[in-house]
Amino acid sequence: MSAPQWPEGLNDATPLPYTVWRVMHHVDGVRDIAEVARLAGLTVPDVTERLNAAAQWINRAAQREQQVTDQTADVVIQCLTPVVGPMAEVMVDEVLDDLGDQATLSALLSGLARQLTQERVQQFARNLRDRGIT
């Protein structure tokens, strides 16, 4: 078996769930997956799952820091519309105007979340996850 590697973009300061860090702590590019599993006290399939989870966390983090494109804004509007109705487009436009040319997805979503109740934030987040955002 080959030695697992840290996903590109992952570093010691990356916030990950403990269950993922529990595995990543033992990944050094030298130990094979069976050794990592033994050290972490997990099975090889569990380690594989945690390695995949680490890569997904990094991909989502990178996505959140990308600039908002027209396509991304449209998807956000589509996810927000079931939550707030036709005001979704206006809300997204206003937040993007406030953020300026360097708007990131993370900043857009934070700006929108501040305008929603906790229940609506949860519904909006579910809609975003269903569309592969965040």
Side-chain angles (χ1 to χ4, degrees), residues 32-54:
D32 69 13
I33 197 164
E35 180 66 7
V36 171
R38 186 187 70 74
L39 291 170
L42 299 169
T43 66
V44 169
D46 288 340
V47 168
T48 301
E49 178 184 316
R50 300 318 192 285
L51 292 169
N52 291 334

Side-chain angles (χ1 to χ4, degrees), residues 13 24-25 35 40 50 52 66 84 87 92 96 101-102 127:
M24 298 313 297
H25 172 74
E35 180 66 7
R50 300 318 192 285
N52 291 334
Q66 291 180 350
V84 298
M87 286 301 298
V92 169
L96 288 173
D101 293 337
Q102 302 300 317
N127 295 345

